[in-house]
Amino acid sequence: MAEDRERGQDGALVLFSGGQDSATCVAWALGRYRHVETVGFAYGQRHAIELTCRSPVRAGLAGIARWGDRLGEDHMVDMASGLAAVGTTALTSETAIAMTEEGLPNTFVPGRNLLFLTYAAAIAWRRGLRRIVAGMCETDYSGYPDCRDDTIKAMQVALNLGMQRRFVLETPLMWRDKAATWALAQALGGSALVELIREATHSCYLGDRTQRHDWGYGCGTCPACELRAGGWQRWRAQRSGNDAAEASEPHT
Ligand code: ZN
């Protein structure tokens, strides 16, 4: 009982897809909380290869500093037939990625993140975990409305009312651009974490792991690859700018 209470107050469940953002969120939670569990979702994504990245990334995270003692169970939820039954998008079928008339990318899967958070809360409820951590971001993103801060805040209220708990939904990347997400990884786990994210995580919408770039594997041209590559390049430029500034400071 005492153990359960301890886990509840200082325990977190992280939505973990196997991508860069969610891997950074797991590291963020491991740096803060004594007990961290993860949950992944199979929703018929065409880049289901990301799910195969989850185990190696978890193993890599467990090898960094004292995080291995904190990393708890992994949960998988299969919602492929459910989401596929209610519609087709470019993220769940072999359709070309494009913008729709409403100004949304056709990779948007309506209701996806709302369902993820609802399932995550149901698991957190059962596991006695108070914090739910997710990688949504509205700073440097594809324009999905269910990644917005207001959506997450509204979900927190709805879940707490509907499940009679005091869950705290935490989104450490919400106000960070992709360069700042790389910088956060460096700050949390040093170059070991940055290397793990480059090598083992997956972001590419097309599921391409045949091409290796500086920033990791991917086709290099889909919106997810463009965001990841752009962030990497800006972060590297900022770092080399900082190094140059430090080197040119007069020594006293
Ligand atoms: Zn790609």
Side-chain angles (χ1 to χ4, degrees), residues 214-242:
D214 281 357
W215 42 266
Y217 294 92
C219 72
T221 54
C222 77
C225 281
E226 282 182 355
L227 277 173
R228 178 163 165 152
W232 172 262
Q233 280 145 14
R234 289 200 309 282
W235 177 59
R236 297 294 289 178
Q238 286 163 13
R239 270 169 72 85
S240 58
N242 290 345

Side-chain angles (χ1 to χ4, degrees), residues 97 202-208 213 215 217-226:
I97 296 172
H202 183 87
S203 302
C204 175
Y205 280 159
L206 305 185
D208 186 340
H213 312 265
W215 42 266
Y217 294 92
C219 72
T221 54
C222 77
C225 281
E226 282 182 355

Side-chain angles (χ1 to χ4, degrees), residues 163-233:
M163 298 195 193
Q164 202 161 317
R165 282 289 165 95
R166 281 304 304 165
F167 293 122
V168 181
L169 269 53
E170 299 188 294
T171 51
L173 308 185
M174 185 60 74
W175 307 114
R176 288 181 157 96
D177 65 14
K178 294 289 175 196
T181 300
W182 285 108
L184 177 62
Q186 177 74 39
L188 289 167
S191 50
L193 180 58
V194 171
E195 283 312 304
L196 177 69
I197 288 172
R198 282 172 77 190
E199 190 60 32
T201 68
H202 183 87
S203 302
C204 175
Y205 280 159
L206 305 185
D208 186 340
R209 284 190 79 72
T210 63
Q211 301 178 62
R212 176 68 157 86
H213 312 265
D214 281 357
W215 42 266
Y217 294 92
C219 72
T221 54
C222 77
C225 281
E226 282 182 355
L227 277 173
R228 178 163 165 152
W232 172 262
Q233 280 145 14

Side-chain angles (χ1 to χ4, degrees), residues 15-209:
L15 278 66
F16 175 49
S17 66
Q20 175 190 0
D21 290 350
S22 63
T24 307
C25 286
V26 179
W28 182 87
L30 287 168
R32 267 174 178 68
Y33 304 122
R34 283 197 294 181
H35 181 81
V36 176
E37 300 187 8
T38 51
V39 57
F41 300 95
Y43 60 95
Q45 60 266 57
R46 64 201 273 191
H47 57 308
I49 196 165
E50 72 176 355
L51 297 175
T52 68
C53 297
R54 298 177 76 256
S55 286
V57 173
R58 275 178 49 95
L61 288 167
I64 293 177
R66 294 185 305 278
W67 292 353
D69 297 336
R70 297 180 165 198
L71 189 59
E73 281 187 44
D74 185 36
H75 310 270
M76 272 301 297
V77 179
D78 185 352
M79 51 173 59
S81 55
L83 268 175
V86 294
T88 302
T89 73
L91 212 58
T92 52
S93 68
E94 300 293 321
T95 309
I97 296 172
M99 292 299 281
T100 66
E101 285 171 10
E102 300 152 278
L104 276 171
N106 65 351
T107 47
F108 175 57
V109 183
R112 184 188 63 165
N113 288 348
L114 307 181
L115 287 170
F116 285 0
L117 289 167
T118 304
Y119 274 91
I123 293 169
W125 193 94
R126 181 168 56 79
R127 301 287 300 157
L129 302 166
R130 182 159 182 254
R131 296 165 190 283
I132 298 168
V133 182
M136 289 81 174
C137 166
E138 72 166 68
T139 302
D140 197 359
Y141 76 139
S142 301
Y144 300 153
D146 57 357
C147 288
R148 291 177 189 152
D149 194 45
D150 283 351
T151 306
I152 306 303
K153 287 190 163 75
M155 280 302 286
Q156 176 173 303
V157 173
L159 293 169
N160 282 333
L161 286 172
M163 298 195 193
Q164 202 161 317
R165 282 289 165 95
R166 281 304 304 165
F167 293 122
V168 181
L169 269 53
E170 299 188 294
T171 51
L173 308 185
M174 185 60 74
W175 307 114
R176 288 181 157 96
D177 65 14
K178 294 289 175 196
T181 300
W182 285 108
L184 177 62
Q186 177 74 39
L188 289 167
S191 50
L193 180 58
V194 171
E195 283 312 304
L196 177 69
I197 288 172
R198 282 172 77 190
E199 190 60 32
T201 68
H202 183 87
S203 302
C204 175
Y205 280 159
L206 305 185
D208 186 340
R209 284 190 79 72

